[in-house]
Amino acid sequence: MNKGIQRLCAIGLFSMPMGIIPAAVAQQPSVTDLSGGGGSGGTFYDQAATREEAGGNLVLFNRLQQNQEELRRLRGQVEELRHQLEQLRQQTRQQYMDMDDRLSSLSSSGAGGSASSSASSDTASSGGNTTTDSSAGREAYQAAFAKVQDRDFAAARQAFEAFIADYPQSELAANAHYWLGELHSAESDLEAAAGAFRKVIDAFPDSTKVPDALYKLGLLKARQGDVEASNELLDRVQSQYPDSNAAGLAQDFQQQSGS
């Protein structure tokens, strides 16, 4: 019985069309050697490594994007702080301009009275031109100061230098030297600025610009890295001119800088 069935199966197998056999073989599942070997697709481990490398590149790309965003954000903050600092500088400069303008007006009024009271002696010593020279000097100073208000700093510096050369004994000479210091400082010529402020302090000790000159010179020394000299000047403003606006500014600067 069994032998008969085996013969029938064998006969049936050999009697099948030849095209059916390859098709049946082709339907068998293929087995890939995962332990090694070549092939166009690579091994399982090669494919896994490729996927891992691609994932790592994506992480690096995302991190780069985050760093670029952070950099842009920090740059925006720096620009905003720079803008605020420039506004603060302009406000401070304008406050000093307004104060100087008021002081100049008061000084001009006082100069007119003193010139009238001493007209006879001045006329005898200078050929009668003192009143005219005083008026011309005030006009020259106001013209130079107007250039500062117009923010034409280069022209203002030249005008103040000409004023000092033409009117070295003017009661406004201290103010002119002070504004030369401000203008040199704005042009980052710190040595020239320090010399102008020092001139106010040493040559015009009774001038109302001395406290401001001490304060500004203290700031210059701080910018130059001379902390000891800076603190000495700022302390001097507060001790010798405690009621001045410069004394309050000096105290604020030392507190903020931790000096």
Side-chain angles (χ1 to χ4, degrees):
M1 180 70 179
N2 291 335
K3 291 181 180 181
I5 293 173
Q6 289 176 356
R7 281 197 300 271
L8 288 175
C9 290
I11 294 171
L13 177 62
F14 285 110
S15 63
M16 291 177 61
M18 295 302 295
I20 295 177
I21 296 176
V25 174
Q27 292 177 358
Q28 296 298 318
S30 61
V31 179
T32 303
D33 184 6
L34 300 180
S35 62
S40 59
T43 67
F44 171 81
Y45 300 108
D46 292 337
Q47 295 174 7
T50 301
R51 288 194 295 271
E52 182 179 354
E53 181 180 356
N57 290 337
L58 180 60
V59 171
L60 291 176
F61 177 77
N62 291 335
R63 188 173 300 169
L64 178 61
Q65 289 290 98
Q66 293 174 356
N67 290 339
Q68 290 176 343
E69 289 293 333
E70 180 68 12
L71 182 59
R72 282 192 289 268
R73 185 181 66 82
L74 291 176
R75 284 177 176 171
Q77 291 180 352
V78 169
E79 289 300 323
E80 178 63 22
L81 290 174
R82 185 177 299 170
H83 176 67
Q84 293 177 2
L85 178 60
E86 182 60 26
Q87 286 185 324
L88 181 60
R89 286 176 177 172
Q90 292 178 2
Q91 291 173 0
T92 302
R93 187 181 293 118
Q94 188 62 48
Q95 289 175 355
Y96 275 110
M97 288 179 182
D98 295 340
M99 184 184 301
D100 188 81
D101 196 19
R102 291 193 296 270
L103 291 174
S104 299
S105 299
L106 292 174
S107 299
S108 298
S109 300
S114 61
S116 300
S117 63
S118 58
S120 58
S121 60
D122 290 340
T123 301
S125 61
S126 59
N129 294 325
T130 301
T131 303
T132 302
D133 291 344
S134 177
S135 177
R138 289 196 299 272
E139 290 178 0
Y141 178 88
Q142 291 295 342
F145 188 73
K147 290 180 172 59
V148 177
Q149 292 176 312
D150 293 338
R151 303 192 183 283
D152 190 354
F153 297 148
R157 176 172 50 79
Q158 295 175 358
F160 277 121
E161 289 172 347
F163 172 82
I164 292 172
D166 293 339
Y167 307 98
Q169 302 303 319
S170 171
E171 60 186 0
L172 295 172
N175 294 48
H177 281 290
Y178 171 82
W179 281 108
L180 276 179
E182 287 277 28
L183 293 166
H184 284 306
S185 180
E187 295 174 341
S188 297
D189 189 350
L190 302 188
E191 291 298 329
F197 290 135
R198 180 64 68 183
K199 182 72 173 181
V200 177
I201 298 168
D202 296 339
F204 307 94
D206 297 328
S207 171
T208 57
K209 300 303 291 182
V210 170
D212 295 332
L214 283 168
Y215 168 66
K216 288 305 180 72
L217 186 57
L219 296 187
L220 283 181
K221 292 299 181 182
R223 288 175 63 183
Q224 293 175 323
D226 193 345
V227 178
E228 183 177 355
S230 173
N231 285 329
E232 181 181 350
L233 290 162
L234 297 176
D235 289 341
R236 181 178 169 185
V237 177
Q238 298 172 69
S239 62
Q240 295 183 2
Y241 307 94
D243 297 329
S244 66
N245 186 47
L249 293 173
Q251 184 179 20
D252 291 342
F253 177 81
Q254 286 182 316
Q255 289 177 348
Q256 293 176 6
S257 62
S259 300

